[in-house]
Amino acid sequence: MSKMPKWMANAMESLLKSLYFECTVVAIEPWNAELLKIELKSLTPMPNCKFGDAISIRVSDTEFRNYTPITIKDQPDCFYILFHLHSGTLGNDYIEHLKIGDRLKMVIPRGRSPLQGVADMHVVVTDETGLGFALNMIHEYESIQQPCYVITENNPINTSTITELFKPVISVRKGQIEQGLNLFFEQYFISVAKTHFYLIGNAKTIQQTMMLLKQKGISSHNIFSQPFWSLGKKGL
């Protein structure tokens, strides 16, 4: 739920304490004008966080926003979040005002489990909002030697950051996801039956990508989708 009455949000924090954990901001690292990395340390035992999970932050008296926590190896009580900044939005205003030492409560990690089973490769198709998901996918599968690939549609300002963050990666501009998919299929041999696709980010782009993948013979059983946002909708 992205929005609820103030009294209900207060009651949840007071009566359902097991659903929350408290963190403090330990580092803030702007990557560019749109991407911001914030590292947090849990002040209580860090809840179990699995691939595909999200945490929820109360960004006002009545509204919550979901973000992807990225765990830090060898630091079990620490994690970071990679924020895509959108000026003038409620979540953006809250995040940009955070300072080192600030304490905040978060709803414990929860979410849908992505595709299960062994695959020849794993492919995330996303925009800037799904970069954290893509990083978690790589952590999840590269450790067991299952190759991972990333296809992004992004604003030009983020291209150099994304190409440094992921290797290999195909980065295209907004609205060019079909070109990105075609490049991927041209450059990398895939087994149609043994490739898992994860479609993350904009709901409209996910619908388009799913249609294109099915035209290329990819079964819906090998496609996981999770819309993070849709134009005109808050807190999707």
Side-chain angles (χ1 to χ4, degrees):
M1 181 181 295
S2 64
K3 188 171 184 177
M4 65 178 67
K6 180 180 178 180
W7 69 264
M8 185 181 295
N10 289 342
M12 285 181 59
E13 286 190 13
S14 177
L15 300 176
L16 302 174
K17 293 182 180 180
S18 63
L19 296 181
Y20 292 82
F21 69 109
E22 192 170 8
C23 297
T24 184
V25 177
V26 296
I28 298 175
E29 182 184 347
W31 284 3
N32 60 34
E34 290 191 0
L35 298 176
L36 177 67
K37 176 184 176 181
I38 295 184
E39 184 177 338
L40 301 113
K41 180 179 176 62
S42 178
L43 299 175
T44 55
M46 179 70 184
N48 181 49
C49 183
K50 65 184 186 300
F51 172 44
D53 278 353
I55 52 89
S56 187
I57 300 176
R58 186 177 179 181
V59 297
S60 75
D61 286 342
T62 60
E63 297 200 35
F64 294 76
R65 293 293 182 269
N66 293 323
Y67 301 100
T68 302
I70 305 162
T71 55
I72 301 174
K73 187 178 180 180
D74 301 325
Q75 297 185 54
D77 291 331
C78 293
F79 64 98
Y80 69 92
I81 300 173
L82 187 56
F83 296 97
H84 182 221
L85 302 177
H86 302 78
S87 61
T89 64
L90 191 60
N92 185 92
D93 291 345
Y94 177 87
I95 297 305
E96 285 198 311
H97 282 87
L98 288 175
K99 304 180 299 296
I100 292 175
D102 282 352
R103 296 170 69 154
L104 56 159
K105 287 184 178 179
M106 299 184 178
V107 179
I108 60 175
R110 74 275 182 262
R112 296 166 53 205
S113 295
L115 299 167
Q116 302 296 311
V118 176
D120 285 349
M121 65 174 65
H122 302 267
V123 185
V124 170
V125 184
T126 188
D127 56 20
E128 290 92 343
T129 63
L131 298 181
F133 183 99
L135 286 167
N136 282 339
M137 181 196 74
I138 291 170
H139 296 162
E140 177 82 6
Y141 292 116
E142 284 197 341
S143 63
I144 54 174
Q145 298 182 334
Q146 293 184 20
C148 301
Y149 299 85
V150 179
I151 304 170
T152 67
E153 64 162 14
N154 53 267
N155 294 327
I157 189 176
N158 298 317
T159 299
S160 61
T161 301
I162 288 171
T163 53
E164 290 174 9
L165 198 59
F166 302 104
K167 297 185 186 304
V169 63
I170 292 174
S171 170
V172 296
R173 295 195 176 199
K174 301 284 188 180
Q176 296 183 347
I177 200 63
E178 183 172 5
Q179 292 92 317
L181 280 175
N182 288 338
L183 278 173
F184 174 78
F185 277 84
E186 290 170 7
Q187 294 181 16
Y188 302 102
F189 172 80
I190 75 163
S191 166
V192 170
K194 293 185 178 181
T195 299
H196 288 173
F197 285 86
Y198 307 80
L199 314 184
I200 308 298
N202 177 256
K204 184 176 180 180
T205 302
I206 287 174
Q207 292 178 340
Q208 178 192 6
T209 306
M210 189 171 294
M211 179 188 69
L212 293 169
L213 289 174
K214 289 181 178 179
Q215 290 173 355
K216 293 179 181 296
I218 305 298
S219 167
S220 58
H221 296 294
N222 287 357
I223 302 173
F224 172 89
S225 64
Q226 182 66 66
F228 281 2
W229 66 281
S230 181
L231 193 62
K233 292 188 177 181
K234 296 181 179 180
L236 181 61

